[in-house]
Amino acid sequence: MRQEANENQEVSEPTALVSLLRISSHLAGQVEIRAALRSVKAEIENLLPIDHLDVCLVDDKNTWNTSYEVGMKTRWSLSRTPVAISPVRSILLGETDYMLTGNAMEDERYTYEGALAQPIIKHKLRSRVNVAMKVLGRTIGALNCSSCTADIYDEATVVRVRQIADVLAPYFYSLRANEKAKRAAVVRAEAQAREEGLRQGALELTRVLEQERQRIGMDLHDQTLADLTRIMRDVEKMDTASDKARVIGSIQHCIGDLRRIIDTAVPTILDLFGFAHALRIHLERAVEDVSSTFLEAADETDGLIDTLDPTIRIALFRIAQEAINNAARHSGADQISVSVKRVKSGLQMTIRDNGKGLPGSRLGRHTSKATGGIAHMRTRARLIAADFGMSSKEGTTITVKLPMTCAPCQETAPHTGEEELA
């Protein structure tokens, strides 16, 4: 039987030379390893019978190997694997130049304990010939030919496969180097993009913070400083108890303004009482007539909002503050609500009011502040990778969608094992 099989695979030297030249010509136009292997499969089949053909290429430290297959697709090409568990580790580690067997299913060199030999058993790859692929004397991988028929290869087959490996090795080495260069270029480009994004984000954050400082300064100048100046003049004219009471009332009002500004600058309530409670307090402070305005702040995340990274949570709180201030001061709304809930993509915060929206025809001082506030909200959302949306139909609705990647990690479903490949 073995003799008959060997006779069937005999190929004349002129025919073999032509096939080797064709293999070289097929490789000349290839730029990707798997495509290159597919392009030469038919010519290799002209030289020897194969049911499975693959190439293993090792990394520079001979620690990991990557398999490229044609024909059957097995677990070998599913992912990188350690050289230590490869059935051809002896070749990849430079201990031998080739391996030959008539039945790899029973050969302990291929099926030793811990070896990734499942494809050999599953697909009954009995006859195997494996030859080192070398460049400048260094082993870069192995060319592996397999057949489901037992005892079909011999020493003459090894010589033929070595000839093929010698043709393939320099091409595959170059293609692998090209792949590594492309991956390195992509990594560099991504790193540069991230660095530029961080730089632009930092510049934008600096600009927004400066605007915030200017706004706080204007609030102090327009409200608190003016009030204190007026109180000082009243004190100079104060004669009666009624005057004293009026001055005390003015001082209390001034203190209230200062507290609002401080709360805006340092949201300590957020840390002490949580997101929803802090928003309820801000709603009550922002609205002049609490008794005639419907106010609502709802946390539908079961407290998930308070487990976010502090920077992200404060950014969401600032956006809600700005939206509430716009609704309370500029829209004439008597209903303002804020809700936070889980959605499929992450978390969503929604601020609604039934006011008149932002007028577009006359841009007075208040409207300018409101539209500037929208720009601040958009910037804050962008800095935490959140989507910002606004609708002015039947009042104003602002939505901020925070992707799940920014939320705390949730437990994933347990892994059920590697998928069986055909």
Side-chain angles (χ1 to χ4, degrees):
M1 181 69 179
R2 176 175 180 134
Q3 182 179 359
E4 180 181 352
N6 290 340
E7 289 175 355
N8 290 336
Q9 69 164 325
E10 286 181 2
V11 179
S12 65
E13 286 303 322
T15 302
L17 180 59
V18 170
S19 293
L20 291 173
L21 290 174
R22 286 177 178 170
I23 288 173
S24 182
S25 65
H26 287 314
L27 291 171
Q30 299 299 325
V31 295
E32 194 268 330
I33 294 177
R34 286 186 176 85
L37 192 59
R38 285 194 296 267
S39 72
V40 300
K41 179 175 180 287
E43 294 295 343
I44 295 176
E45 287 177 327
N46 289 335
L47 297 175
L48 69 153
I50 53 173
D51 292 314
H52 181 263
L53 177 67
D54 74 286
V55 169
C56 295
L57 298 178
V58 295
D59 62 9
D60 294 335
K61 297 181 180 180
N62 284 9
T63 303
W64 296 88
N65 81 86
T66 304
S67 294
Y68 304 87
E69 302 175 300
V70 290
M72 300 177 187
K73 188 174 182 181
T74 75
R75 292 178 63 180
W76 283 329
S77 61
L78 185 63
S79 63
R80 288 197 317 161
T81 56
V83 170
I85 65 171
S86 170
V88 293
R89 64 179 180 179
S90 297
I91 294 176
L92 300 180
L93 294 174
E95 298 171 357
T96 183
D97 285 340
Y98 76 95
M99 295 171 65
L100 174 66
T101 184
N103 191 351
M105 297 175 63
E106 299 176 357
D107 193 327
E108 293 183 355
R109 293 178 301 167
Y110 295 88
T111 59
Y112 58 88
E113 184 178 355
L116 186 58
Q118 184 263 2
I120 294 175
I121 306 300
K122 180 177 179 179
H123 299 287
K124 297 179 173 59
L125 302 179
R126 294 183 174 87
S127 292
R128 300 202 78 207
V129 56
N130 317 95
V131 173
M133 299 173 65
K134 294 186 177 184
V135 173
L136 298 177
R138 174 179 169 267
T139 298
I140 65 162
L143 174 61
N144 310 301
C145 303
S146 304
S147 172
C148 297
T149 304
D151 300 316
I152 197 172
Y153 301 141
D154 58 14
E155 295 292 337
T157 310
V158 174
V159 174
R160 187 69 70 207
V161 174
R162 182 174 283 122
Q163 292 172 339
I164 299 171
D166 289 343
V167 174
L168 297 182
Y171 285 99
F172 278 49
Y173 181 77
S174 298
L175 291 176
R176 181 67 177 276
N178 185 52
E179 280 190 358
K180 290 169 64 177
K182 286 182 178 179
R183 285 197 298 269
V186 169
V187 170
R188 285 196 301 271
E190 290 176 348
Q192 290 173 355
R194 285 195 298 270
E195 183 178 348
E196 178 63 17
L198 290 172
R199 189 182 71 84
Q200 292 294 337
L203 290 174
E204 186 67 15
L205 181 59
T206 301
R207 184 185 68 79
V208 171
L209 288 174
E210 184 59 31
Q211 288 182 346
E212 288 289 328
R213 292 190 186 97
Q214 291 177 5
R215 186 171 65 171
I216 291 172
M218 290 177 64
D219 287 344
L220 289 171
H221 179 273
D222 295 344
Q223 297 176 21
T224 310
L225 184 59
D227 289 343
L228 289 172
T229 302
R230 178 176 51 79
I231 291 170
M232 182 183 66
R233 291 172 180 170
D234 289 344
V235 168
E236 292 175 351
K237 302 175 182 179
M238 186 174 59
D239 293 325
T240 65
S242 61
D243 290 335
K244 292 181 181 180
R246 182 169 52 82
V247 171
I248 291 173
S250 298
I251 293 174
Q252 289 175 340
H253 180 75
C254 185
I255 291 171
D257 284 343
L258 280 173
R259 282 176 176 167
R260 280 191 292 272
I261 293 172
I262 292 169
D263 286 343
T264 301
V266 186
T268 54
I269 297 176
L270 181 63
D271 296 325
L272 292 174
F273 301 106
F275 194 84
H277 186 73
L279 284 179
R280 290 190 194 99
I281 293 176
H282 185 73
L283 277 167
E284 294 173 359
R285 290 179 176 177
V287 176
E288 292 184 1
D289 189 358
V290 176
S291 61
S292 63
T293 306
F294 173 78
L295 305 174
E296 182 182 37
D299 176 11
E300 301 174 20
T301 69
D302 296 325
L304 180 63
I305 185 70
D306 288 313
T307 66
L308 294 177
D309 180 274
T311 303
I312 295 175
R313 188 162 58 107
I314 290 175
L316 291 175
F317 185 72
R318 295 298 195 201
I319 293 171
Q321 277 185 317
E322 192 70 53
I324 291 168
N325 291 341
N326 285 344
R329 298 172 185 174
H330 313 302
S331 73
D334 60 8
Q335 295 181 15
I336 306 174
S337 65
V338 185
S339 65
V340 186
K341 64 180 181 180
R342 297 187 191 215
V343 293
K344 185 177 181 180
S345 58
L347 297 179
Q348 177 175 307
M349 180 174 68
T350 305
I351 306 99
R352 289 190 178 91
D353 69 69
N354 65 343
K356 59 187 177 182
L358 297 175
S361 56
R362 292 183 303 167
L363 295 178
R365 177 183 176 189
H366 294 306
T367 303
S368 299
K369 284 187 176 182
T371 53
I374 292 171
H376 291 164
M377 288 188 282
R378 289 186 186 277
T379 299
R380 291 189 187 278
R382 188 164 62 247
L383 289 176
I384 59 173
D387 293 329
F388 179 89
M390 186 179 72
S391 171
S392 295
K393 294 181 180 179
E394 299 180 357
T396 301
T397 300
I398 290 174
T399 57
V400 181
K401 294 181 180 178
L402 183 71
M404 187 57 71
T405 52
C406 296
C409 295
Q410 305 295 313
E411 290 184 2
T412 56
H415 185 58
T416 57
E418 291 189 46
E419 180 184 356
E420 285 289 325
L421 297 177

